[in-house]
Amino acid sequence: MRRQRVTALLALTLTALAGIALTGCSAAPGATPEPAATPTDRSPVEDHVQGTLTIAAAASLQPAFEELTTEFTKLHPDVTVDQLTFDGSSVLAAQIIAGAPIDVFASADEANMQKVADAQLLASDPIPFARSSLEIAVAPGNPLGITTLADLGAPTQLAGAGAAGDAPVVVICAAEVPCGAASHRLLDRDGVALTPASEEQNVTAVLTKVAAGEADAGLIYRSDVLRSGGDVEGIEIAGSADAAGLYVIAPIAESAAPEAALAFAEFMRSPEVQARFEELGFGQA
């Protein structure tokens, strides 16, 4: 009987000690436990990715993407950007639909990205990452004194113009290119009848013609005015950001490096990259 009492007492003691230990391990009253980390807590950009990428981007993105691809490969040393292709978004969309081996597409508008989506060639939803605005590009010092879109249209008496009644020589992007579509929206909005000297397939060609003196003015993105390094001067256009719209980026289906392609697309939304886009003359998406 005594042995039974000792055994029972020992069992009660062990039970009490276990309860104390459990109490010591529990959170203090009112404390909020730290949530456990899960794979969904991490951005895919933080995961290890590797592979070789071919990136197609709107011509207006060239300086930014040449810089940012270098930064991306520093973060992901096992990723190689094999080729960067820059052209009008409509040209690039057509090439992708025709089967060009592209891993990532960055468009200057949503309409051309939608063409690729309609062909079922996107690996994920497009990511908006920047906004553009148009300006009137003129020679440094603005020798013709151009101040508004109306100055580009009807015969004018602008200072420095040729024969009385001559309108400035103006170049714009073709209507199917995002900068051209935005240009036409602004001209229509302001009721400006314009007969351009040429309609180019990308914004870089417009910039080049104005900078070379082959045109008196052109409609290009503010970011292109800044990247010209003073070769052209920009005249602001009210409400031009609303006409220009969003830049969007997406990985392409059947990429040989799908994780790297998605990581690059998501990299465009990182705070550091967004800050850099603002410095380069782009607006927030």
Side-chain angles (χ1 to χ4, degrees):
M1 179 65 70
R2 177 175 175 169
R3 181 178 295 174
Q4 291 175 343
R5 286 198 301 271
V6 171
T7 301
L9 181 60
L10 179 60
L12 288 172
T13 301
L14 291 174
T15 300
L17 289 172
I20 293 170
L22 287 172
T23 301
C25 293
S26 63
T32 303
E34 291 292 330
T38 66
T40 56
D41 291 331
R42 299 193 316 257
S43 165
V45 174
E46 297 171 352
D47 293 335
H48 176 75
V49 293
Q50 58 186 355
T52 300
L53 296 177
T54 296
I55 299 169
S60 54
L61 291 169
Q62 183 166 354
F65 268 44
E66 287 176 342
E67 175 184 329
L68 294 173
T69 50
T70 299
E71 294 302 314
F72 180 76
T73 53
K74 286 179 182 178
L75 290 174
H76 301 285
D78 290 330
V79 175
T80 300
V81 177
D82 181 60
Q83 184 176 346
L84 275 169
T85 299
F86 300 102
D87 210 327
S89 298
S90 61
V91 174
L92 297 174
Q95 291 174 351
I96 293 169
I97 293 169
I102 302 298
D103 298 290
V104 182
F105 176 38
S107 174
D109 68 351
E110 295 172 281
N112 282 292
M113 182 65 77
Q114 188 59 47
K115 295 176 185 177
V116 181
D118 290 343
Q120 299 184 346
L121 293 175
L122 297 186
S124 66
D125 291 339
I127 299 170
F129 65 93
R131 187 176 292 277
S132 58
S133 59
L134 286 181
E135 292 190 350
I136 304 169
V138 297
N142 191 11
L144 297 187
I146 293 170
T147 58
T148 67
L149 286 173
D151 292 335
L152 305 180
T156 179
Q157 296 292 331
L158 290 172
D166 285 352
V169 176
V170 181
V171 292
I172 62 175
C173 292
E176 66 270 16
V177 181
C179 66
S183 297
H184 282 287
R185 281 193 288 271
L186 289 172
L187 292 167
D188 290 345
R189 181 199 70 181
D190 290 2
V192 177
L194 177 67
T195 302
S198 67
E199 295 188 69
E200 306 297 331
Q201 286 300 309
N202 60 65
V203 72
T204 302
V206 176
L207 169 61
T208 299
K209 287 198 169 185
V210 178
E214 297 177 26
D216 297 315
L219 294 177
I220 64 175
Y221 296 124
R222 177 174 180 268
S223 55
D224 292 290
V225 172
L226 294 181
R227 71 148 156 158
S228 76
D231 289 342
V232 300
E233 182 177 318
I235 310 300
E236 293 184 6
I237 305 169
S240 66
D242 295 333
L246 289 171
Y247 285 85
V248 287
I249 187 169
I252 300 300
E254 306 302 325
S255 168
E259 292 86 4
L262 177 60
F264 183 79
E266 293 186 334
F267 176 63
M268 294 299 112
R269 289 293 298 170
S270 66
E272 296 80 7
V273 171
Q274 287 290 294
R276 185 59 182 140
F277 273 124
E278 284 199 81
E279 293 172 352
L280 293 172
F282 295 90
Q284 288 284 333

